[in-house]
Amino acid sequence: MGTVIEAANKDTNGSVLNKNPTVVFVLGGPGSGKGTQCANVVEHFGFTHLSAGDLLRAEIKSGSENGTMIQNMIKEGKIVPSEVTIRLLQQAIKDNGNDKFLIDGFPRNEENRAAFERVTGIEPAFVLYFDCPEEEMERRLLSRNQGREDDNIETIRKRFKVFLDSSLPVINYYDAKGKVRKVDAARPVEEVFESVKAIFGPKNEKAD
């Protein structure tokens, strides 16, 4: 099990990345519309969308030794170590021809954040934060008909609490550095994207 973490730690100088990518962290509570807006940014601004959860699921599906280890940890209710997720993100950045990435749903907490910067040597250009009232996120999650078993009221409220407790310190950390771009995500999708476009438009091109 230590091998993945050891390998990740070997790359503390970021040497595995032979490019200097632009990374934008995308954060927002469950139901804030992150996924929809990430798809819009990919289409309009040519970013590559990386979801930490998708990468972990793909690794499990691959049947690799690493995937089996991740699956066992999740089954046992343990948290997958930051370095494991970061290693997958780092590999995805390295393997992709693009140099602009949206990292969705990560870092989930301060420990994730510090480990990402330490392991990859990358600081995000900025954090795109979808700010949405809890009642609105709750309404959206309950009304979407995707059959997700975690879309019941008790689980939803637990997920909100976890998001607030874990992710707000990350947002506050980057806010103190002037790196948070907050978007009012309670509005219709088109209006939200107008705000997102203004953030990714010409005046931010120097961040690339």
Side-chain angles (χ1 to χ4, degrees), residues 19-149:
K19 54 189 172 188
N20 187 23
T22 296
V23 166
V24 174
F25 289 147
V26 183
L27 297 176
S32 60
K34 289 193 318 287
T36 302
Q37 297 302 333
C38 281
N40 284 337
V41 171
V42 167
E43 189 184 334
H44 287 80
F45 296 99
F47 275 70
T48 294
H49 178 206
L50 298 177
S51 155
D54 287 352
L55 289 170
L56 287 167
R57 283 187 284 275
E59 190 68 15
I60 290 167
K61 211 181 262 187
S62 76
S64 70
E65 194 183 326
N66 192 24
T68 305
M69 181 269 290
I70 293 166
Q71 188 170 32
N72 290 340
M73 292 193 81
I74 292 169
K75 263 193 205 145
E76 289 163 25
K78 293 178 183 167
I79 290 169
V80 177
S82 292
E83 282 86 352
V84 173
T85 306
I86 291 161
R87 181 76 173 157
L88 293 173
L89 286 165
Q90 197 174 32
Q91 195 61 44
I93 289 171
K94 180 173 176 261
D95 291 347
N96 192 289
N98 203 350
D99 63 352
K100 299 189 293 188
F101 296 89
L102 299 175
I103 295 184
D104 175 5
F106 186 93
R108 285 184 180 274
N109 53 41
E110 263 294 282
E111 193 265 331
N112 278 177
R113 178 203 64 72
F116 182 86
E117 291 191 11
R118 186 184 75 246
V119 172
T120 65
I122 297 170
E123 256 202 59
F126 58 89
V127 175
L128 185 59
Y129 171 40
F130 290 102
D131 187 24
C132 194
E134 201 169 304
E135 309 74 57
E136 175 60 17
M137 291 194 283
E138 199 173 281
R139 188 190 65 73
R140 289 176 184 178
L141 290 173
L142 289 171
S143 67
R144 72 182 184 191
N145 191 17
Q146 294 176 352
R148 277 178 57 161
E149 71 265 14

Side-chain angles (χ1 to χ4, degrees), residues 142-185:
L142 289 171
S143 67
R144 72 182 184 191
N145 191 17
Q146 294 176 352
R148 277 178 57 161
E149 71 265 14
D150 57 353
D151 284 352
N152 64 66
I153 198 80
E154 294 80 17
T155 314
I156 285 167
R157 286 183 178 158
K158 269 189 211 145
R159 286 164 69 202
F160 289 149
K161 183 167 172 20
V162 167
F163 171 74
L164 287 173
D165 293 349
S166 306
S167 297
L168 281 184
V170 176
I171 291 159
N172 292 337
Y173 172 86
Y174 285 118
D175 199 24
K177 300 182 114 192
K179 288 195 163 203
V180 172
R181 308 287 181 269
K182 186 156 88 166
V183 174
D184 173 5

